[in-house]
Amino acid sequence: MKSLSLIVSLVLIVVNILAGLILKDYHTENVVMSSCVIAVNALLLWWVAQSNMKDAFKISYHILFPILCLIEFILAVVAPSQWENNFYFIGIIACFAFQAILVLAALKTTQHNNNNSNS
């Protein structure tokens, strides 16, 4: 089950790359951005699944992160094809930062609760 998200993400990346090769208006920059979005979210979900955080965090993140991934993917697809002054790209980075902060906060909370219960 833990590797299922990696396998699904790999299939989605392949489909995304094929769509980029087939569709004329789907620029290379957008394909790269959207593929990176899928890959990073897959790694975040894998990190959550492998961690020792509480099950409530794991379940909620496995619901929340695919929703955020869809939002990030849409931003990556509709973003302008240049990197400069790209506010869509800034939005994607902000979502990634939010997800990373959530994971780190859950890990720290779990670690703190485990230390207090052992005392």
Side-chain angles (χ1 to χ4, degrees):
M1 184 67 181
K2 293 179 182 179
S3 64
L4 180 64
S5 64
L6 293 177
I7 294 169
V8 169
S9 298
L10 184 63
V11 170
L12 290 175
I13 289 172
V14 169
V15 169
N16 186 47
I17 291 171
L18 289 175
L21 293 173
I22 294 169
L23 299 173
K24 178 178 75 166
D25 291 333
Y26 194 21
H27 301 286
T28 305
E29 293 85 359
N30 298 89
V31 173
V32 169
M33 235 189 307
S34 57
S35 295
C36 288
V37 162
I38 296 169
V40 169
N41 275 285
L43 291 174
L44 281 170
L45 284 172
W46 177 81
W47 185 21
V48 167
Q50 297 295 325
S51 71
N52 63 345
M53 68 178 65
K54 301 284 185 183
D55 288 338
F57 287 123
K58 288 183 181 184
I59 292 169
S60 61
Y61 289 169
H62 274 84
I63 294 170
L64 178 64
F65 285 4
I67 295 169
L68 289 174
C69 180
L70 179 62
I71 293 168
E72 294 165 3
F73 182 80
I74 291 170
L75 286 174
V77 169
V78 300
S81 60
Q82 84 268 358
W83 296 103
E84 305 86 31
N85 299 323
N86 193 335
F87 290 102
Y88 294 94
F89 188 57
I90 293 171
I92 292 168
I93 293 171
C95 282
F96 284 149
F98 177 67
Q99 289 173 294
I101 290 169
L102 285 176
V103 172
L104 293 173
L107 289 171
K108 189 67 175 172
T109 301
T110 301
Q111 180 186 21
H112 179 72
N113 288 341
N114 288 342
N115 288 342
N116 285 342
S117 66
N118 291 336
S119 299

